[in-house]
Amino acid sequence: ASLRRATIMHATAARVKHASVCLATPRRHAARHRAPRRAERRMIQMSTSSSSSSSSSSTPRKSIAVVSGANTGIGYETVKALLSSGAYDEIILACRDEEKALKACARLRADVGGASLGNTVDDETSTTRLTCERLDLGSLESVRACGDRLNARAADAGIDCLILNAGVMAVPNFTPTADGFELQVGVCHLGHYALTARVMPALERAAALRGEARVVTVSSEAHRIAAKGVSRDDLFGEYAYSAWGQYGQAKLANVLFAFELARRCARKKNGVSSSVLHPGAVDTELGRYLQPEDGDVKWWQKALYDFIRTNFLKTPAQGAETTVFLANGVTDGASTSGKYYADCKEKTVAKPALSEADAAWLWERSAELTGEAFAEL
């Protein structure tokens, strides 16, 4: 039923030709948040309430969380929730557009810092740093450079949580990445695969120091579109491209990768867990490729879409709830590893997502395409 509802909403959105709108960053607030000064560009320090249960004296703080695509939508709300929890020393926004990431940091400082500073400004145990890193998942050069910077930043304490959130959806025509991969599979899966491989030593370091580390992948119920399984002969849709077909392939690849990573980490006993989720049908900028020119939107189309958005779509904050649950709300990450979640509950995936043969093939094929491999996994 969830898939049918999502499919109907996607189709309706395409028919009415109206873009999804990110409610997390309304235009009426944009003018109130100045861009950070040069001195603030690489790091913005914030304080969060020391009364948070996650940062209480009985719960050790974690070192670093990394969120891809964090400047808007679900990613932004994920960072906002993690920041409010006070659980991390540092949260890194890994985004393609660094300027937008910096502005997102400024909004977070205003939205969260201004609301929860209290009397904890000088309390070092309640300080969380917000940092921006440039990450273009459509360029392996950018992914490798970002991974190397993350490893350097986490050289001592490691990375406690890596959230693979960024993505693109329903690109109308075959569009190659900088490396020649189809954009949806390239960004949603291959870029994230390469980043995870690159920073796995940092994840294992955090697990060795604090008992566990987590990889959380944002997929979608759209993985069910790929009903015949991963397309080994045409992974990039070069022979029969379909906007939604390729999105289904990309989201299936997310699930297969997350499950295979969980199995391999369990065999190695390295303390790294891997879970995957469906955020729901969410009102974000992910539908940018459904957007027509402003002049093509009719009044009745806008009214119809606004009705759908108001009555059927989740807000970005609601869409981030399951991500935050898996990243921070579960005491033991191992209990969620190798599982698929929706609305903060475990859910059964489509049969093709359970194919260990396809998962192993995709793992090896991804290594060949990206030139990145997981040592000893």
Side-chain angles (χ1 to χ4, degrees):
S2 176
L3 175 61
R4 288 198 299 273
R5 186 175 71 174
T7 302
I8 290 171
M9 287 187 288
H10 286 319
T12 304
R15 288 197 299 271
V16 302
K17 294 185 176 181
H18 187 77
S20 296
V21 178
C22 177
L23 299 182
T25 56
R27 290 182 181 177
R28 63 178 178 275
H29 294 318
R32 295 196 296 186
H33 303 304
R34 63 167 178 80
R37 300 188 192 95
R38 290 182 182 272
E40 299 173 303
R41 291 181 60 83
R42 297 304 303 170
M43 184 180 297
I44 297 181
Q45 187 166 317
M46 300 182 59
S47 295
T48 55
S49 175
S50 60
S51 63
S52 168
S53 60
S54 295
S55 59
S56 66
S57 59
S58 60
T59 304
R61 281 167 61 86
K62 302 170 186 177
S63 178
I64 294 176
V66 179
V67 185
S68 70
N71 62 283
T72 188
I74 295 173
Y76 178 89
E77 294 296 337
T78 297
V79 173
K80 187 175 180 179
L82 296 181
L83 184 62
S84 297
S85 76
Y88 296 90
D89 291 329
E90 182 174 14
I91 301 174
I92 300 174
L93 288 71
C95 306
R96 182 171 58 88
D97 190 322
E98 193 173 13
E99 287 298 323
K100 290 182 178 180
L102 289 164
K103 291 177 181 178
C105 285
R107 292 197 307 274
L108 286 161
R109 181 176 57 183
D111 294 346
V112 179
S116 62
L117 279 174
N119 296 318
T120 65
V121 175
D122 297 323
D123 182 358
E124 292 183 0
T125 65
S126 64
T127 299
T128 298
R129 296 184 302 277
L130 281 182
T131 308
C132 302
E133 288 288 355
R134 187 175 186 280
L135 171 65
D136 181 354
L137 290 162
S139 164
L140 289 176
E141 180 181 6
S142 175
V143 171
R144 291 176 184 130
C146 180
D148 290 344
R149 291 193 301 272
L150 292 174
N151 283 330
R153 186 178 295 279
D156 295 326
I159 294 174
D160 291 272
C161 188
L162 175 63
I163 299 176
L164 309 178
N165 167 79
V168 290
M169 181 182 75
V171 181
N173 302 303
F174 181 94
T175 304
T177 67
D179 304 283
F181 310 142
E182 186 274 320
L183 188 63
Q184 296 185 84
V185 172
V187 168
C188 296
H189 169 62
L190 291 173
H192 279 139
Y193 166 91
L195 179 66
T196 308
R198 203 77 172 182
V199 302
M200 180 54 69
L203 289 162
E204 293 181 331
R205 188 175 305 114
L209 290 171
R210 288 176 292 282
E212 68 160 358
R214 306 181 187 189
V215 179
V216 178
T217 303
V218 179
S219 181
S220 168
E221 279 290 271
H223 80 274
R224 300 179 190 276
I225 294 173
K228 295 182 179 179
V230 64
S231 181
R232 298 193 187 191
D233 296 329
D234 193 18
L235 183 62
F236 296 144
E238 296 172 283
Y239 302 109
Y241 184 82
S242 161
W244 288 106
Q246 281 306 114
Y247 186 60
Q249 284 290 315
K251 295 292 101 179
L252 175 60
N254 285 156
V255 181
L256 290 170
F257 168 63
F259 285 178
E260 184 67 9
L261 179 62
R263 284 189 288 267
R264 291 177 182 246
C265 287
R267 286 198 295 267
K268 188 179 180 182
K269 298 180 181 180
N270 63 1
V272 179
S273 65
S274 171
S275 56
V276 60
L277 67 104
H278 166 58
V282 186
D283 187 19
T284 72
E285 292 180 357
L286 189 62
R288 64 178 66 91
Y289 287 102
L290 301 177
Q291 182 176 4
E293 296 295 329
D294 290 341
D296 293 338
V297 180
K298 306 297 189 296
W299 69 267
W300 61 268
Q301 293 172 330
K302 183 179 186 303
L304 178 58
Y305 185 81
D306 286 345
F307 173 80
I308 293 171
R309 184 183 63 190
T310 302
N311 292 277
F312 296 102
L313 300 185
K314 290 182 177 182
T315 65
Q318 292 170 331
E321 288 175 354
T322 305
T323 303
V324 176
F325 170 75
L326 293 171
N328 217 36
V330 181
T331 302
D332 180 16
S335 66
T336 64
S337 195
K339 298 177 182 178
Y340 176 78
Y341 283 77
D343 294 323
C344 301
K345 297 179 182 178
E346 186 179 356
K347 185 171 184 177
T348 302
V349 294
K351 187 176 179 180
L354 297 173
S355 173
E356 293 189 20
D358 276 355
W361 176 87
L362 182 65
W363 184 278
E364 298 301 329
R365 184 62 178 140
S366 299
E368 293 173 1
L369 290 167
T370 64
E372 297 292 330
F374 290 77
E376 301 178 4
L377 274 190

